[in-house]
Amino acid sequence: MKEINYISEIFLPSKSAYSINVMKMCDAFSKLGFNTNLYVFRKEKNINLFKIYNCKKKFKIIETKINKNNFLGRIKHALQLVRLIKKNKSKHVIYSRSIISSLILSMFYENVLLEVHHELKGFTKVFFNLSKKMKYFKKIMFVYISRNLKNHYKINNRSIILDDGVDLSNFKNFNSKKRIHNTCVYAGSFTKGKGIELILKIAKITNKINFHLYGDISNSEFTKLYFKKYKNVCYKGFAEYKNIPKILNKYYLYLMPYSKKVFVRSNNLEVGNYMSPLKLFEYMASKGVVMATEMNVYKHILNKKNSILMNQNSSKKWKNKIESFFANKSNYNYLSKNSNIEVKNYTWELRVKKILNFIDV
């Protein structure tokens, strides 16, 4: 039996979308019958991580040591992985979200895949460009989260483009009739460009609509007190992934009001041209209606047949459209139906099957 060694650079549990992607991918590999080992920087003791992330299968989660989470620390971490992973090359698939680990492990193993979500910066970028000249580099296969990333890296002959995914089984068996009227929901990151600023502008000019916000504010400019300025905005706090399906099922309209520039948790990494938002697929699976900024990066998924697309960041136009939606909800039922059909093409298991076909395993 083939063995999947999934290399991540995370602490578990985490409030990041990164951790959801990693845990659900390992879950999908396990469901398909692979012995799966997930390597993480650290995991909290006495916590059921499989329950937190709604994983159906249990796989090995192996804690590795990293003294400093910087360039040199990651080099040492990668060398540690070389010692930890058994040397039977024919049975191994190395799947990594770590640039440095991928480059170093390619010197020792075949079947090394690197999943890329953003551009490179700093010493990692220099190390990557220098590694291109080494023969081992040609063994690495790339999984890009978007077409724009493939165009950026320009490594085409051993690559595949795959959006993020969703576990549809997590979104079954909810009563869709008990939804909250005249209330929109946002569930996700509160970093710059994700749309919280626009939601607050919309809230300020309407007294007909309420807004419920879920997410981690620790890496943002917002505070709990800040949201209390708005009578129709309720900050609900961070929700563990296992609770997201139940939460989303309470609402009719899901907001995704991105700006042109979108930043991730580090707040210095702009991903507007490269992202494949996890919440997009969670929204689509929840059988409500997605209302989103029209963006090229996900135009192959969202269209006017399955969502409400807004091509401007005018708070007045968003407000008018939201009020129109709640005044005539039945007119938009076809959007949720089409969205729920489309999202079936983006499950974690389908994603993993495409990867396995790509590397011919």
Side-chain angles (χ1 to χ4, degrees), residues 91-108:
K91 290 187 177 181
H92 284 295
V93 174
I94 308 290
Y95 196 96
S96 178
R97 285 284 302 269
S98 166
I99 299 279
I100 294 171
S101 293
S102 300
L103 295 171
I104 291 177
L105 288 168
S106 69
M107 300 178 188
F108 301 91

Side-chain angles (χ1 to χ4, degrees), residues 73-83 100-101 104-105:
R74 292 182 184 197
I75 291 278
K76 291 179 181 178
H77 177 253
L79 294 173
Q80 181 187 166
L81 289 169
V82 173
R83 295 193 299 271
I100 294 171
S101 293
I104 291 177
L105 288 168

Side-chain angles (χ1 to χ4, degrees), residues 330-341:
S330 61
N331 293 343
Y332 297 88
N333 286 343
Y334 74 98
L335 295 178
S336 60
K337 289 179 181 178
N338 291 339
S339 177
N340 199 244
I341 292 169

Side-chain angles (χ1 to χ4, degrees), residues 53-300:
Y53 290 96
N54 268 336
C55 292
K56 299 294 186 297
K57 290 284 187 178
K58 289 189 176 181
F59 42 86
K60 288 184 182 178
I61 302 178
I62 301 165
E63 190 175 70
T64 55
K65 294 180 180 179
I66 184 165
N67 295 325
K68 290 185 178 181
N69 192 4
N70 56 22
F71 177 74
L72 288 177
R74 292 182 184 197
I75 291 278
K76 291 179 181 178
H77 177 253
L79 294 173
Q80 181 187 166
L81 289 169
V82 173
R83 295 193 299 271
L84 285 173
I85 298 172
K86 296 175 183 177
K87 295 297 189 296
N88 191 341
K89 296 181 183 180
S90 63
K91 290 187 177 181
H92 284 295
V93 174
I94 308 290
Y95 196 96
S96 178
R97 285 284 302 269
S98 166
I99 299 279
I100 294 171
S101 293
S102 300
L103 295 171
I104 291 177
L105 288 168
S106 69
M107 300 178 188
F108 301 91
Y109 302 99
E110 307 294 331
N111 295 325
V112 177
L113 290 97
L114 171 62
E115 181 167 320
V116 184
H117 285 233
H118 52 75
E119 294 182 16
L120 300 180
K121 288 189 173 184
F123 287 116
T124 303
K125 182 177 181 179
V126 174
F127 186 55
F128 182 83
N129 288 331
L130 288 173
S131 298
K132 285 182 179 180
K133 300 175 182 178
M134 300 172 64
K135 64 179 182 178
Y136 303 108
F137 184 86
K138 294 180 180 179
K139 292 196 295 184
I140 301 175
M141 293 167 279
F142 289 79
V143 178
Y144 298 114
I145 201 75
S146 72
R147 182 167 297 281
N148 287 342
L149 271 177
K150 183 173 182 176
N151 294 337
H152 171 75
Y153 280 88
K154 297 178 181 177
I155 300 170
N156 302 324
N157 60 338
R158 55 187 194 281
S159 66
I160 187 173
I161 302 167
L162 292 173
D163 286 278
D164 255 327
V166 68
D167 186 342
L168 295 179
S169 67
N170 297 159
F171 292 82
K172 291 181 178 179
N173 304 320
F174 292 106
N175 189 343
S176 298
K177 295 180 180 179
K178 295 182 179 180
R179 296 183 186 245
I180 306 171
H181 294 279
N182 297 326
T183 303
C184 305
V185 66
Y186 171 90
S189 171
F190 281 57
T191 50
K192 290 180 181 179
K194 292 294 181 75
I196 302 301
E197 300 89 349
L198 180 57
I199 289 173
L200 295 179
K201 287 179 182 178
I202 301 166
K204 196 172 183 179
I205 59 174
T206 180
N207 56 11
K208 296 180 180 179
I209 307 298
N210 297 312
F211 301 85
H212 289 182
L213 312 179
Y214 296 82
D216 177 26
I217 59 173
S218 61
N219 286 313
S220 76
E221 60 186 19
F222 301 105
T223 63
K224 291 180 182 179
L225 188 63
Y226 186 89
F227 294 116
K228 292 183 178 180
K229 296 178 183 179
Y230 302 84
K231 292 181 180 180
N232 54 346
V233 175
C234 182
Y235 172 63
K236 297 283 192 173
F238 172 76
E240 285 187 350
Y241 179 76
K242 67 179 180 182
N243 297 322
I244 290 295
K246 185 177 180 180
I247 288 169
L248 293 180
N249 199 254
K250 295 178 181 179
Y251 302 92
Y252 288 100
L253 189 63
Y254 313 124
L255 300 183
M256 210 164 70
Y258 286 122
S259 300
K260 288 184 179 179
K261 289 188 176 181
V262 181
F263 294 85
V264 292
R265 290 176 67 85
S266 63
N267 263 334
N268 63 356
L269 190 61
E270 202 277 307
V271 297
N273 289 324
Y274 306 125
M275 63 183 179
S276 178
L278 268 174
K279 68 170 162 279
L280 166 59
F281 305 104
E282 294 165 358
Y283 283 178
M284 294 174 77
S286 298
K287 299 179 183 176
V289 173
V290 180
M291 185 174 180
T293 304
E294 190 169 15
M295 298 182 76
N296 286 333
V297 75
Y298 49 65
K299 68 178 182 180
H300 58 293

Side-chain angles (χ1 to χ4, degrees), residues 316-331:
K316 186 176 180 180
K317 289 181 179 179
W318 276 77
K319 171 245 184 193
N320 291 341
K321 194 67 177 178
I322 291 170
E323 289 181 352
S324 174
F325 170 84
F326 282 106
N328 307 279
K329 287 197 300 291
S330 61
N331 293 343

